């Protein structure tokens, strides 16, 4: 695998400084891989050296770069309304008392939903979705993982839609992964 020494040095410096226990980068130019490196180790349970095929959760970046941007465009075009309840646009979202939660409340982390839930555990335990959680050596090739990812997404969606609020909508602002997962499902329902 090609390596750009400057990128490897920055990642290794970040790992030593405690930015994260494991860091990786892949750089493509014109569709061709020009750099690939993995640094550090995955923490327990099952601690081991990071492999370049290990997936990373970039959800917090997608909140700002993708989800909020797409929502803003849809609001600007009139396809979504900030202060309208989400439930009529997202089938199943009203479950658990979420019928009054608005788009604005989800964006502001003020929907009353929990900060985080270990939804991944249900996917990892599933006979189909669990394939995506295997160590790299036991994981199918990326092309063969499509059924695992589809099943994992279905499990995640089911859990998010069933999740009841912990507080009334608008009563608090707590950084909320389930709320932004719901926004992603709302975008899919709106955009197809």
């Amino acid at each position: 695998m090609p390596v750009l020494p400057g990128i490897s040095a920055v990642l290794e410096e970040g790992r030593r400084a405690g930015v994260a226990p494991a860091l990786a980068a892949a750089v493509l130019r014109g569709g061709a891989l020009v750099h690939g490196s993995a640094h550090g180790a995955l923490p327990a349970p099952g601690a081991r050296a990071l492999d370049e095929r290990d997936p990373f959760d970039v959800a917090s970046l997608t909140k700002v770069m993708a989800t909020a941007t797409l929502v803003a465009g849809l609001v600007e075009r009139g396809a979504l309304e900030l202060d309208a309840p989400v439930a009529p646009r997202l089938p199943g979202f009203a479950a658990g008392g979420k019928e009054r939660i608005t788009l604005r409340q989800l964006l502001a982390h003020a929907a009353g939903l929990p900060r985080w839930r270990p939804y991944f555990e249900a996917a990892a335990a599933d006979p189909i979705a669990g394939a995506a959680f295997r160590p790299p050596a036991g994981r199918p090739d990326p092309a063969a993982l499509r059924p695992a990812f589809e099943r994992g997404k279905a499990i995640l969606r089911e859990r998010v839609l069933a999740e009841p609020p912990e507080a009334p909508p608008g009563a608090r602002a707590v950084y909320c992964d389930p709320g932004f997962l719901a926004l992603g499902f709302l975008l899919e329902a709106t955009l197809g």
Side-chain angles (χ1 to χ4, degrees):
M1 178 173 304
V3 173
L4 298 172
I7 293 175
S8 287
V10 167
L11 292 173
E12 192 55 35
E13 182 179 321
R15 187 195 61 75
R16 280 194 306 273
V19 169
L23 300 163
V27 178
L28 290 98
R29 182 176 183 173
L33 184 68
V34 296
H35 171 87
S37 65
H39 307 263
L42 298 176
R48 62 176 171 76
L50 182 67
D51 183 279
E52 66 270 1
R53 290 183 40 190
D54 283 321
F56 277 78
D57 180 359
V58 293
S60 291
L61 289 175
T62 61
K63 286 178 177 95
V64 176
M65 298 179 74
T67 309
T69 302
L70 288 170
V71 168
L74 290 170
V75 168
E76 183 179 55
R77 290 192 343 232
L80 291 175
E81 296 177 37
L82 282 174
D83 295 312
V86 169
R89 305 287 310 250
L90 180 57
F93 187 70
K98 297 186 298 295
E99 62 279 341
R100 295 182 308 122
I101 293 174
T102 67
L103 179 61
R104 184 184 304 270
Q105 290 165 333
L106 287 174
L107 285 166
H109 298 278
L113 293 169
R115 177 181 147 0
W116 176 84
R117 290 283 191 253
Y119 301 133
F120 70 92
E121 291 175 350
D126 184 83
I128 297 170
F133 291 86
R134 293 181 193 148
R139 190 180 311 137
D141 289 329
L145 283 172
R146 184 179 182 121
F149 290 138
E150 288 174 355
R151 176 67 183 138
K153 181 179 173 183
I155 291 168
L156 182 74
R157 180 185 174 95
E158 178 182 294
R159 300 291 192 289
V160 168
L161 294 179
E163 188 70 56
E166 294 179 335
R172 68 177 194 189
V174 174
Y175 185 86
C176 175
D177 286 336
F180 261 76
L181 291 167
L183 282 170
F185 295 128
L186 173 65
L187 287 170
E188 287 183 349
T190 302
L191 295 170

